[in-house]
Amino acid sequence: MTSAGAPERSGTTTRGGGTLYRGDLGMWSWVAHRITGVLTFFFLFTHVLDTALVRVSPNAYDAVIETYKNPVVNLFEVGLVGAVLYHALNGIRVMLVDFWEKGAKYQRVMLWTVLAVWVVVMIPGFYFMMERTISDLVGGH
């Protein structure tokens, strides 16, 4: 008990009357889920806008599509696939934690499973998505 009569909390630090949550893997999965959701939203918003250019100005649309052939944009596409894949897999985990009676008990195992599946899918995904870009950069066909 503290001098004020409140029980002490282990793993927290008091700063200005509040607590500072230091977090663990669960906190970082929560943060990553929010970030990947926001990134996916902004991609979809941009995609709707650039696709709408077809009706306004086909030439402007063609110019935008041409910029997408840039190798840097290809890296962003890989990042987008990684974000969408993580968001989808982690979303399934969140649903299982919420609606499966044993979900909370196995949430850490499920998180490691999500991360393992993400890596297993992203390694060949990265290769196939970057294959043409790397080939073009080093002078292949």
Side-chain angles (χ1 to χ4, degrees):
M1 300 279 272
T2 62
S3 60
E8 289 184 28
R9 295 181 188 143
S10 62
T12 59
T13 305
T14 303
R15 189 182 282 173
T19 59
L20 176 64
Y21 176 62
R22 295 193 184 266
D24 64 357
L25 194 58
M27 181 197 72
W28 291 112
S29 72
W30 181 87
V31 169
H33 193 75
R34 284 358 181 233
I35 290 171
T36 56
V38 169
L39 290 174
T40 302
F41 168 79
F42 281 118
F43 163 75
L44 291 173
F45 181 73
T46 304
H47 180 61
V48 167
L49 289 179
D50 69 17
T51 303
L53 280 175
V54 147
R55 307 260 312 155
V56 176
S57 170
N59 291 334
Y61 174 79
D62 290 340
V64 168
I65 295 304
E66 194 60 36
T67 64
Y68 291 164
K69 295 177 182 175
N70 183 316
V72 174
V73 174
N74 192 216
L75 278 174
F76 284 132
E77 289 172 337
V78 172
L80 174 66
V81 168
V84 170
L85 180 63
Y86 173 80
H87 194 78
L89 293 171
N90 195 54
I92 293 168
R93 182 187 74 86
V94 168
M95 287 188 295
L96 288 171
V97 169
D98 286 347
F99 297 113
W100 179 35
E101 63 187 35
K102 296 181 182 180
K105 179 180 177 181
Y106 295 112
Q107 68 89 17
R108 186 171 293 274
V109 172
M110 289 188 292
L111 178 56
W112 283 111
T113 303
V114 162
L115 295 174
V117 169
W118 186 87
V119 167
V120 165
V121 172
M122 283 305 295
I123 288 172
F126 179 83
Y127 172 78
F128 288 114
M129 290 182 75
M130 293 300 296
E131 181 180 31
R132 180 172 177 205
T133 297
I134 292 170
S135 177
D136 289 346
L137 287 174
V138 296
H141 295 283

